[in-house]
Amino acid sequence: MNFSPTDDQRALQTAIERLCDDFPLDYWREHDDSASFPHEFHRAVARSGWLGIAMPEAQGGAGLGITEAALMMRAISASGAAMSGASAIHMNIFGLNPVVVFGTEAQRQRFLPPLIAGTEKACFAVTEPDAGLDTTRLSTRAVRQPDGGYLLSGRKIWISTARVADRMLILARTTPLDRVRKPTEGLTLFYTALDRRAVEVREIHKLGRAAVDSNMLFIDGLAVPEADRIGEEGRGF
């Protein structure tokens, strides 16, 4: 099916292309060579209001859709930023949709404005070394505590931007696999601080896209308050 953008969508693309003009190929080559995160680019996107393109207006976002966000990512990639530019901001734009859809109003107000303003960065911690893409078989555990919070322990792999992230969206098992009716049950979603006292972030060296880090996470007794749980316990999938 052919896609024909509207006038507003074309104007959006033009605005993004102008922003990207300030970050020529030399900028991206330098950050890839030095394996350093493109903080200046991230700040420029935030200052222009584009980090909140698909976030609710009530939290300071633009209230546009995923189509507009995808058009923006395509324009960024086409500018020469390629995957380094797209990956530097995609988690902030797409990854927090579970908070938008399933979070409480208090959670949206607490979590979304810092992302939109660019003062916080997030990572998405789901993939595990022994589960691969079979998310239902992940083994990171979240054990409920007497105070209502949780203690998380386990491993995650190929977690982009964890070296620069302030928070992470993390899926963990709260009910063992042998105690649920189907494997999608018993998984719980959290959006919480990436506390490096309980989370070791170990970078994975890779070929290409070096400006955006990929990592292994070793989680040992990460305390997560109940207020950081997104949606109901056991229904995170």
Side-chain angles (χ1 to χ4, degrees), residues 52-90:
I53 189 170
M55 299 289 186
E57 292 181 80
Q59 278 76 48
L64 299 176
I66 295 300
T67 297
E68 285 76 14
L71 288 170
M72 181 177 80
M73 301 301 277
R74 185 173 71 175
I76 289 170
S77 298
S79 75
M83 285 299 292
S84 290
S87 297
I89 61 172
H90 83 283

Side-chain angles (χ1 to χ4, degrees), residues 104-142:
T104 65
E105 180 60 29
Q107 286 175 327
R108 287 192 290 269
Q109 194 58 47
R110 181 159 61 103
F111 294 142
L112 300 183
L115 277 183
I116 293 168
T119 56
E120 286 187 355
K121 297 181 182 71
C123 65
F124 188 48
V126 174
T127 320
E128 294 189 2
D130 297 325
L133 294 176
D134 187 356
T135 302
T136 62
R137 301 197 67 82
L138 62 79
S139 58
T140 295
R141 289 294 313 276

Side-chain angles (χ1 to χ4, degrees), residues 16 19 39 41-56 60-63 69 72-73 76 85-86 88-94 96 112-121:
I16 295 298
L19 184 153
H39 290 287
F41 175 73
H42 182 273
R43 283 194 291 268
V45 176
R47 279 197 305 269
S48 301
W50 295 119
L51 279 184
I53 189 170
M55 299 289 186
M72 181 177 80
M73 301 301 277
I76 289 170
I89 61 172
H90 83 283
M91 174 58 195
N92 289 50
I93 291 170
F94 298 110
L96 268 291
L112 300 183
L115 277 183
I116 293 168
T119 56
E120 286 187 355
K121 297 181 182 71

